[in-house]
Amino acid sequence: MSTGMILAIVIGAVVVIALIATAVSMRRRRRLREQFGPEYDRTVEDAGSRRAAEDELGAREKRHEALDIKPLSSGQRERYAQEWRGVQEEFVDRPEGAVHDADRLVTSLMHERGYPTEDFEQQARDLSVEHGRTLEHYWAAHEINTLSTTQRATTEQLRGAMVHYRALFDDLLTNGSSAGPGRS
């Protein structure tokens, strides 16, 4: 075989390998974007590169696999739904207190489902694996809750926090399904 022929075969093999690698990378990116939703873009922005972000999201998936996440019984779901209704009713007289209670209730629900609840940032990372599409609500609610601890949140912001907490609450309560006692 001539040198030119060997070179053509090697170049062809390199091109095929590069195309396969690109296809695999694109498939992984599409899967992560679909799974994590807006959290994918947030992670890319925080990580500074797609590659670093995708590695981070992959690490989140591995950590999540090790967690003992469990569904709620119908009795537990109903109890949480009733507690949520009480928090909503509280909003009329005590908006800031209701927002703090909504935060505590969401954290309690996460704990009952099996999510670690020691640190907000870790909570968000753990939730992102199964609840990436509603996680942006948690970020927004947490920000408003933080503002309210120093009485810097407006009533309208507090109302927004309740809506945001409700979106994640419902998703956690039903594990992402479209029906359940938390919906209304």
Side-chain angles (χ1 to χ4, degrees):
M1 240 191 235
S2 73
T3 306
M5 184 73 91
I6 292 173
L7 192 56
I9 292 172
V10 169
I11 290 173
V14 168
V15 168
V16 167
I17 290 170
L19 289 172
I20 291 171
T22 300
V24 167
S25 175
M26 289 174 63
R27 183 175 178 201
R28 179 179 187 223
R29 180 169 297 146
R30 184 173 34 255
R31 181 187 63 77
L32 290 171
R33 279 181 161 270
E34 288 173 7
Q35 177 178 352
F36 287 91
E39 184 64 13
Y40 176 91
D41 295 325
R42 177 192 214 73
T43 306
V44 169
E45 186 177 315
D46 289 349
S49 77
R50 283 195 194 284
R51 174 113 173 125
E54 289 173 359
D55 289 346
E56 160 67 17
L57 295 173
R60 289 182 194 186
E61 288 176 317
K62 281 189 169 83
R63 175 181 159 83
H64 190 271
E65 287 174 15
L67 298 176
D68 184 23
I69 307 300
K70 45 198 169 292
L72 299 173
S73 69
S74 60
Q76 290 169 311
R77 281 193 308 275
E78 186 53 44
R79 179 175 52 85
Y80 275 104
Q82 183 152 353
E83 286 183 51
W84 181 262
R85 287 188 290 274
V87 169
Q88 284 182 302
E89 290 170 7
E90 176 187 355
F91 186 84
V92 173
D93 296 323
R94 297 184 46 238
E96 284 181 349
V99 169
H100 298 308
D101 288 346
D103 181 70
R104 280 192 291 276
L105 186 58
V106 165
T107 301
S108 174
L109 177 55
M110 288 171 51
H111 181 74
E112 185 123 12
R113 293 279 319 277
Y115 288 98
T117 56
E118 304 81 41
D119 170 59
F120 173 79
E121 297 286 330
Q122 187 60 55
Q123 288 173 353
R125 287 189 294 273
D126 290 339
L127 285 170
S128 71
V129 176
E130 285 188 358
H131 304 280
R133 299 226 172 262
T134 55
L135 190 59
E136 65 189 320
H137 290 286
Y138 195 37
W139 285 107
H142 178 74
E143 185 177 317
I144 296 166
N145 188 33
T146 301
L147 280 175
S148 75
T149 60
T150 57
Q151 289 77 39
R152 294 185 297 151
T154 67
T155 303
E156 195 54 39
Q157 287 173 314
L158 294 170
R159 190 180 329 281
M162 292 297 289
V163 170
H164 291 306
Y165 277 125
R166 176 65 183 258
L168 179 61
F169 178 84
D170 282 350
D171 201 36
L172 282 166
L173 194 67
T174 61
N175 197 29
S177 68
S178 61
R183 304 269 181 198
S184 58

